[in-house]
Amino acid sequence: MFIVFEGIDGSGKTTIASMVANELKSHGYKIFLTEEPTRTWLGEAVRRGIKEEKNPFTQAFLFFADRAEHIREIKKHIERGEIVICDRYIYSTYAYQGAQLSPSMGLEKALKWLETIYSPIRLDPDVVILLTTSPLRGIGRIKNRERRESFERREFLERVQKIYVYLAEKYGFEIVDSDTSIEAVFEKVKEILRKFDIIP
Ligand code: TMP
């Protein structure tokens, strides 16, 4: 089973992903909790690319390099019967790099290009849960974090979230409004997972 959490910065994905991991562990599952960018040197290269504000094409290739290796790792865990929980995946590239590339090439063309790069390494999740938040709230949640990236701008995040909502329709994501309490979000997420018969 492969579960993905997506959402703009400050949407609470990371907290919810770890709460879900603990919940599933308590039901006896072996969990591989992971994230993109990864914690490998490739993930570090990605973070450096963001920090140095490399052009959107460079950033897209960096994200794909990191993901190509990550997918091999994810496959191994799935084959071992583990539940993989991933904090960001390909849809982050569609939404963020889509938002970055759309002014120069248009959103449809940008998404097509990104989908083409993804197609040979493709591994589809069983469920994608999109946490939505007002970008202002999201920024409020992250403003105290030490690591600030150029992406964390309200206007940009508004565009990113719009693309996420568009992708949700296109790919059939589950959407959960995260502008409520973390407990309420967690309950909604558990409801979704019950449909997959992995929790009672
Ligand atoms: P993080 O804050 O979740 O660690 O992600 C770092 C930033 O990278 C975040 O602003 C989202 C962005 N990002 C992309 O632009 N494209 C991607 O494919 C991924 C995985 C993340």
Side-chain angles (χ1 to χ4, degrees):
M1 172 108 190
F2 181 18
I3 303 166
V4 166
F5 286 94
E6 290 282 359
I8 60 170
D9 306 51
S11 59
K13 294 174 287 76
T14 309
T15 308
I16 290 292
S18 98
M19 286 168 87
V20 168
N22 288 335
E23 173 77 16
L24 294 179
K25 271 185 206 160
S26 79
H27 291 286
Y29 293 104
K30 198 141 197 274
I31 305 299
F32 178 54
L33 176 60
T34 187
E35 67 196 336
E36 293 189 358
T38 65
R39 292 175 187 268
T40 67
W41 69 266
L42 285 160
E44 283 312 309
V46 171
R47 291 182 201 283
R48 186 168 164 187
I50 298 170
K51 203 169 178 181
E52 294 182 10
E53 297 183 22
K54 295 299 181 208
N55 84 64
F57 290 96
T58 307
Q59 291 197 23
F61 286 124
L62 287 169
F63 282 114
F64 274 114
D66 187 33
R67 182 166 304 116
E69 292 303 319
H70 194 209
I71 286 175
R72 290 210 307 185
E73 181 75 17
I74 290 171
K75 275 185 180 157
K76 275 191 230 158
H77 289 271
I78 293 174
E79 278 158 19
R80 284 184 212 146
E82 297 170 19
I83 295 182
V84 175
I85 301 175
C86 194
D87 177 358
R88 295 197 182 283
Y89 190 56
I90 179 67
Y91 314 101
S92 286
T93 302
Y94 292 160
Y96 283 78
Q97 278 58 60
Q100 289 180 325
L101 291 166
S102 57
S104 64
M105 60 196 293
L107 183 61
E108 280 306 313
K109 211 168 156 200
L111 291 178
K112 248 202 165 74
W113 181 67
L114 295 167
E115 282 167 347
T116 305
I117 302 175
Y118 176 56
S119 61
I121 57 166
R122 183 172 163 180
L123 177 68
D124 289 337
D126 296 286
V127 58
V128 180
I129 300 173
L130 172 64
L131 302 187
T132 55
T133 184
S134 96
L136 199 58
R137 264 184 98 125
I139 289 169
R141 286 199 191 111
I142 53 174
K143 75 170 190 289
N144 295 326
R145 280 192 209 161
E146 213 183 289
R147 186 173 48 88
R148 295 201 58 159
E149 284 147 358
S150 65
F151 287 169
E152 296 166 0
R153 282 175 287 120
R154 182 177 169 187
E155 204 189 83
F156 178 71
L157 292 177
E158 264 161 16
R159 285 200 288 134
V160 172
Q161 185 154 270
K162 270 198 190 130
I163 302 174
Y164 265 135
V165 171
Y166 165 79
L167 295 172
E169 175 79 17
K170 182 169 173 182
Y171 293 103
F173 301 166
E174 301 280 351
I175 300 183
V176 176
D177 173 9
S178 73
D179 278 349
T180 56
S181 70
I182 200 80
E183 292 76 22
V185 176
F186 187 44
E187 278 310 313
K188 288 239 168 78
V189 168
K190 281 199 287 188
E191 244 169 63
I192 294 167
L193 296 179
R194 280 190 196 104
K195 290 194 252 173
F196 292 85
D197 282 337
I198 51 172
I199 51 171

